[in-house]
């Protein structure tokens, strides 16, 4: 680990990296300054099986953080170092270090005195909505194709359904004794449930093809825990920029609601816990719409649909991984991906029940 750190342009003395348990994808470590008052760092091993174009990924992050830093400076903001992430280059000026074993590492400056939350209150949701709205707005003047898709077709539901269909085909072809066959056979109800909603859920992609729905730069992982709050509980900085890429604003709005406006957990084994928290929905939407001033009418109109779309997409993704034998998401117990699937599926059903109420709320705020 010490060796890894030595490749980066870190000028102060630091302690050994300590592992952090966050995220399902990358491995993260904290690298503390030895002397008080000096910079500490956040070291990550990038999962290059998932992010196959590490160069493009790191370039995306650099473009986005530079752009936001400029916007913050132009707006006369203070404490900018805590409001936007900063990549630390390697000593030879690269944005990542590749080891002889083929691992990819990167370093950020650690944002001090900041913490993440797993749940929000209506008060913090409004501030969070503003923060994500501002984030999108700051990036709205970048052409959407200024960034690459760090994971191709990441939030493309047509592609996710295709992946599911491939997983099903593989499962059907496999031996009856294999786990994928058994999982497939036991989950006919889930497959039928997904099929019933296919057409509706591909609407956004169709509208894009017809030129009716634009793409912008999105964060594409707007879970509550991807925002850092300061000591007063105010949003400070948006983190986890691996998936910043072109997409529909529905992605960011919907993914936040998927995690925050759910009274249950993403992997709640008790489906009775799962309902839509309309107070959170309303508060977040109010903050978001206040800041995301670039939105077109169709984008605003589709926001409630975006909530269902993202929960549905997550259902499909968790379920595909379950059928594939849990190769993508880290799991904590053998049936974890099935539990996650059922919890997300229930959330879609709950969002369907309150779709009209969501629409009324958006109209009222607008
Ligand atoms: C993954 O690793 P994490 O928690 O930031 C995933 C998201 C999913 C999420 C589900 C690159 O995010 O898309 O919504 O898990 N990220 C990637 O909790 O696949
Ligand atoms: Mg994350």
């Amino acid at each position: 680990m010490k060796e890894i750190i030595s490749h980066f342009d870190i000028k102060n003395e630091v302690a050994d990296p300590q592992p952090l348990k966050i995220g399902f994808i990358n491995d993260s470590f904290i690298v503390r300054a030895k002397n008080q008052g000096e910079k500490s760092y956040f070291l990550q091993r990038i999962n290059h099986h998932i992010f196959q174009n590490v160069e493009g990924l790191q370039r995306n992050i650099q473009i986005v953080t530079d752009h936001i830093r400029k916007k913050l400076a132009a707006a006369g903001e203070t404490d900018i170092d805590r409001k936007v992430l900063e990549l630390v280059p390697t000593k030879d000026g690269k944005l990542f270090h590749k080891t002889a074993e083929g691992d990819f590492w990167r370093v950020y400056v650690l944002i001090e005195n900041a913490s993440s939350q797993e749940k929000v209150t209506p008060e913090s949701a409004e501030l969070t909505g503003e923060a994500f709205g501002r984030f999108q707005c700051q990036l709205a003047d970048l052409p959407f194709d200024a960034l690459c898709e760090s994971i191709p077709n990441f939030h493309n539901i047509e592609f996710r359904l295709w992946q599911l269909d491939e997983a099903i085909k593989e499962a059907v072809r496999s031996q009856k004794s294999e786990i994928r066959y058994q999982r497939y056979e036991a989950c006919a109800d889930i497959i039928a449930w997904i099929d019933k909603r296919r057409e509706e859920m591909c609407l956004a992609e169709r509208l894009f093809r017809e030129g009716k729905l634009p793409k912008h730069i999105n964060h594409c992982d707007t879970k509550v825990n991807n925002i850092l709050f300061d000591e007063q509980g105010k949003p400070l900085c948006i983190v986890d920029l691996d998936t910043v890429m072109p997409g529909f604003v529905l992605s960011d709005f919907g993914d936040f609601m998927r995690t925050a406006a759910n009274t249950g957990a993403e992997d709640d084994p008790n489906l009775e816990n799962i309902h839509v928290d309309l107070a959170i929905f309303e508060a977040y939407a109010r903050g978001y719409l206040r800041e995301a001033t670039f939105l077109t009418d169709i984008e605003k109109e589709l926001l409630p649909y975006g909530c269902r779309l993202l929960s549905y997409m997550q259902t499909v993704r968790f379920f595909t991984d379950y059928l594939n034998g849990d190769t993508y998401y880290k799991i904590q117990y053998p049936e974890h991906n099935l539990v996650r699937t059922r919890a997300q599926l229930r959330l879609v059903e709950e969002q369907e029940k309150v779709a009209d109420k969501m629409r009324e709320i958006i109209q009222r705020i607008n």
Side-chain angles (χ1 to χ4, degrees), residues 1-279:
M1 282 301 183
K2 267 235 148 74
E3 201 271 333
I4 305 283
I5 281 292
S6 74
H7 292 278
F8 288 88
D9 192 15
I10 292 178
K11 303 214 168 61
N12 56 317
E13 261 194 278
V14 291
D16 284 345
Q18 300 298 319
L20 286 173
K21 272 204 183 122
I22 49 170
F24 300 159
I25 310 286
N26 299 315
D27 298 312
S28 305
F29 304 81
I30 191 158
V31 187
R32 284 267 170 220
K34 278 209 174 149
N35 303 313
Q36 255 209 333
E38 293 188 346
K39 284 181 183 173
S40 296
Y41 301 88
F42 182 67
L43 167 72
Q44 281 190 310
R45 179 176 26 217
I46 302 167
N47 185 328
H48 63 276
H49 303 289
I50 291 180
F51 298 103
Q52 293 180 2
N53 174 8
V54 175
E55 195 141 359
L57 160 74
Q58 290 297 92
R59 206 181 314 115
N60 278 356
I61 296 178
Q62 185 73 31
I63 293 172
V64 164
T65 52
D66 279 353
H67 198 77
I68 294 180
R69 193 169 296 108
K70 275 190 212 132
K71 288 275 163 89
L72 291 172
E77 294 263 355
T78 55
D79 207 10
I80 291 179
D81 290 346
R82 293 175 74 214
K83 292 181 180 163
V84 60
L85 284 172
E86 181 185 346
L87 281 170
V88 179
T90 59
K91 284 177 178 155
D92 53 0
K94 291 211 305 286
L95 296 174
F96 58 89
H97 168 66
K98 185 176 179 188
T99 65
E101 299 81 51
D103 282 335
F104 292 83
W105 293 86
R106 73 165 161 229
V107 171
Y108 288 108
V109 178
L110 185 78
I111 296 186
E112 299 285 355
N113 304 320
S115 56
S116 62
Q117 301 178 359
E118 289 297 328
K119 285 263 167 229
V120 290
T121 60
E123 295 75 49
S124 71
E126 184 160 349
L127 296 172
T128 309
E130 283 182 356
F132 278 121
R134 207 174 306 130
F135 180 84
Q136 285 190 340
C137 213
Q138 284 164 336
L139 300 173
D141 60 340
L142 274 175
F144 79 85
D145 53 2
L147 302 195
C148 70
E149 291 192 345
S150 52
I151 300 179
N153 293 312
F154 186 52
H155 274 184
N156 179 338
I157 188 61
E158 291 174 350
F159 173 72
R160 295 302 181 184
L161 286 165
W162 174 83
Q163 284 185 313
L164 170 63
D165 292 340
E166 290 299 299
I168 292 174
K169 274 190 220 154
E170 284 293 321
V172 172
R173 268 192 233 120
S174 63
Q175 302 290 322
K176 290 207 161 135
S177 57
E178 281 182 53
I179 189 156
R180 49 176 71 206
Y181 188 90
Q182 290 159 9
R183 287 182 167 185
Y184 159 74
E185 224 188 5
C187 293
D189 61 323
I190 297 179
I191 296 173
W193 183 97
I194 289 173
D195 281 346
K196 212 171 116 190
R197 289 160 177 82
R198 266 177 201 252
E199 207 183 304
E200 185 203 351
M201 292 302 166
C202 293
L203 172 71
E205 294 294 338
R206 284 198 300 276
L207 289 173
F208 175 68
R209 275 195 294 275
E210 291 164 12
K212 293 179 185 150
L213 183 65
K215 282 191 182 179
H216 298 283
I217 306 293
N218 273 258
H219 181 278
C220 287
D221 192 15
T222 47
K223 294 195 291 192
V224 194
N225 59 12
N226 279 335
I227 188 159
L228 296 181
F229 294 84
D230 67 12
E231 302 92 324
Q232 281 78 43
K234 288 225 171 85
L236 191 58
C237 181
I238 288 170
V239 296
D240 195 356
L241 301 178
D242 289 334
T243 50
V244 280
M245 65 174 99
F248 306 125
V249 291
L250 309 179
S251 277
D252 284 4
F253 187 83
D255 224 10
F256 183 85
M257 295 305 186
R258 182 180 76 74
T259 51
N262 176 0
T263 54
E266 182 183 62
D267 59 350
D268 215 310
N270 181 1
L271 299 180
E272 297 307 310
N273 288 340
I274 298 171
H275 302 286
V276 176
D277 187 327
L278 283 175

